[in-house]
């Protein structure tokens, strides 16, 4: 299903970018341009990111230092 019809970006593509570390609509835009034309998809992208699509967001929501955690572990921490 398309999230961004301006650039033909699918929900799965947004989730894949989120899994690769894009945690904000701006980072998604950097990865695939979604949200950079008419902007009507930005809220939908935000909704996708808010549904646990981004592993780092879970750390941030817990008040943990996301980047420091990644540096120490050398990668994404295991899901609880
Ligand atoms: S639908 Fe995504 S920028 Fe227009």
């Amino acid at each position: 299903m398309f999230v961004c019809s301006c650039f033909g970006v699918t929900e799965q593509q947004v989730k894949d970018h989120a899994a690769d570390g894009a945690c904000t609509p701006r980072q998604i835009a950097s990865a695939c341009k979604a949200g950079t034309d008419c902007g009507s998809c930005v809220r939908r992208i935000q909704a996708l990111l808010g549904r646990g699509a981004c592993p780092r967001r879970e750390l941030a929501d817990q008040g943990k230092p996301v980047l420091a955690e990644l540096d120490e572990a050398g990668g994404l921490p295991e899901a609880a």
Side-chain angles (χ1 to χ4, degrees):
M1 179 180 198
F2 287 109
V3 173
C4 177
S5 51
C6 289
F7 292 101
V9 177
T10 64
E11 189 171 315
Q12 187 58 51
Q13 284 174 293
V14 171
K15 287 178 181 174
D16 289 346
H17 290 307
D20 289 341
C23 295
T24 65
R26 182 171 295 202
Q27 289 170 338
I28 294 292
S30 295
C32 64
K33 293 186 175 180
T36 60
D37 194 356
C38 74
S40 67
C41 58
V42 173
R43 290 182 81 92
R44 183 149 170 75
I45 291 169
Q46 281 177 323
L48 284 171
L49 294 175
R51 269 194 247 138
C54 177
R56 291 185 197 179
R57 180 167 290 274
E58 289 175 27
L59 284 177
D61 288 347
Q62 293 166 17
K64 295 184 180 175
V66 176
L67 295 177
E69 187 82 15
L70 290 172
D71 287 344
E72 287 171 21
L76 291 174
E78 306 234 339

